[in-house]
Amino acid sequence: MAEVKLHGFWYSPFTWRAVWTLKQKGIPYENIEEDRFNKSPQLLQYNPVHKKTPVLVHAGKPICESMIIVEYIDETWSQNPLLPADPYERALARFWVRYADDLISSVGALFLSTSEEREKAIEKIWEHLRVVENNCFGEEKKFFGGDTINIVDLAFGSVAKFIEIGEDICEVKVIEAEKLPRWHSWFNNFKDVPVIAESLPDHEKTVACLKSIIEKSLAASRKR
């Protein structure tokens, strides 16, 4: 097997997607932990455009952007497929993956919100989540892909975990079982999948790390 390396931040929801995919496929890889504030020359060489993680390096060739990495892995290793075989279902999956990226941007806004802005930021997240709640879950479906997780679960799973961390950082409650019962049930099912449960970042450690990063970012903004 050609050598596989993953450059990422352990606390990044985008890196989680790549990690979960590699684990789901059972692919051994070398994890290269990057420093957010002092990125390695290799990372900057592999991703000269955006200079971001994650970057998957397979046989010496870099692949950038989290969901492009997920699709690349899925196409390269056929076991435990993540994209539907049917072209229409595959197109739908890609649509919801894109929607998950829109949602993660709204979650990021919550992290950086002031106390005055927080209510509006939460309402924006709810607006997105209600769309998912009303359009993506059938009563017979345990996951977006049915009985097993697929690419949409991985995309939204990173968002759901990011929201859970944001709730503790901002000391708010966003996901309530009464308001979003299907989403709440799905996320519990997702976290119980063995490869996901084994790969979830430590919650308290992640909250502390991201809280520190956010505080430094806000302090730097105030000095400008």
Side-chain angles (χ1 to χ4, degrees), residues 51-220:
K51 301 178 176 63
K52 293 180 179 179
T53 61
V55 173
L56 182 81
V57 183
H58 179 217
K61 298 176 180 178
I63 302 97
C64 306
E65 298 296 322
S66 64
M67 296 314 300
I68 293 175
I69 290 171
V70 171
E71 287 208 35
Y72 175 85
I73 295 170
D74 196 44
E75 291 173 359
T76 304
W77 290 275
S78 60
Q79 67 270 27
N80 302 323
L82 297 171
L83 269 166
D86 178 76
Y88 177 72
E89 293 298 324
R90 195 159 59 244
L92 280 181
R94 286 176 172 142
F95 172 86
W96 288 113
V97 164
R98 179 68 63 86
Y99 195 79
D101 282 343
D102 293 340
L103 175 52
I104 211 166
S105 297
S106 296
V107 180
L110 170 65
F111 277 67
L112 298 173
S113 64
T114 63
S115 55
E116 294 78 16
E117 299 166 336
R118 198 146 292 159
E119 186 176 339
K120 185 177 180 180
I122 293 172
E123 183 55 46
K124 187 68 175 177
I125 295 171
W126 279 340
E127 181 182 323
H128 280 281
L129 290 177
R130 282 192 288 264
V131 171
V132 180
E133 178 85 4
N134 294 332
N135 291 279
C136 293
F137 299 111
E139 290 187 8
E140 75 287 355
K141 291 171 65 176
K142 186 176 181 181
F143 302 105
F144 288 97
D147 292 329
T148 58
I149 61 174
N150 74 0
I151 193 170
V152 183
D153 295 285
L154 296 179
F156 277 111
S158 62
V159 179
K161 183 59 184 175
F162 204 42
I163 292 173
E164 190 175 62
I165 291 164
E167 289 178 325
D168 280 359
I169 290 175
C170 300
E171 299 180 353
V172 296
K173 190 63 180 174
V174 179
I175 306 300
E176 299 178 23
E178 296 79 10
K179 290 184 177 180
L180 299 161
R182 293 177 178 178
W183 173 277
H184 190 268
S185 176
W186 160 79
F187 187 45
N188 285 333
N189 290 334
F190 179 78
K191 290 190 291 184
D192 284 342
V193 174
V195 294
I196 303 300
E198 294 162 7
S199 307
L200 285 169
D202 179 85
H203 184 77
E204 298 303 323
K205 181 182 176 183
T206 310
V207 168
C209 176
L210 288 175
K211 190 172 184 177
S212 175
I213 290 172
I214 291 165
E215 287 172 351
K216 290 176 182 178
S217 176
L218 291 174

Side-chain angles (χ1 to χ4, degrees), residues 31-50:
N31 181 66
I32 301 173
E33 183 64 32
E34 291 284 347
D35 181 342
R36 181 187 183 96
F37 303 103
N38 186 26
K39 297 169 185 174
S40 70
Q42 291 83 8
L43 175 65
L44 301 179
Q45 175 188 343
Y46 288 142
N47 191 356
V49 178
H50 298 299

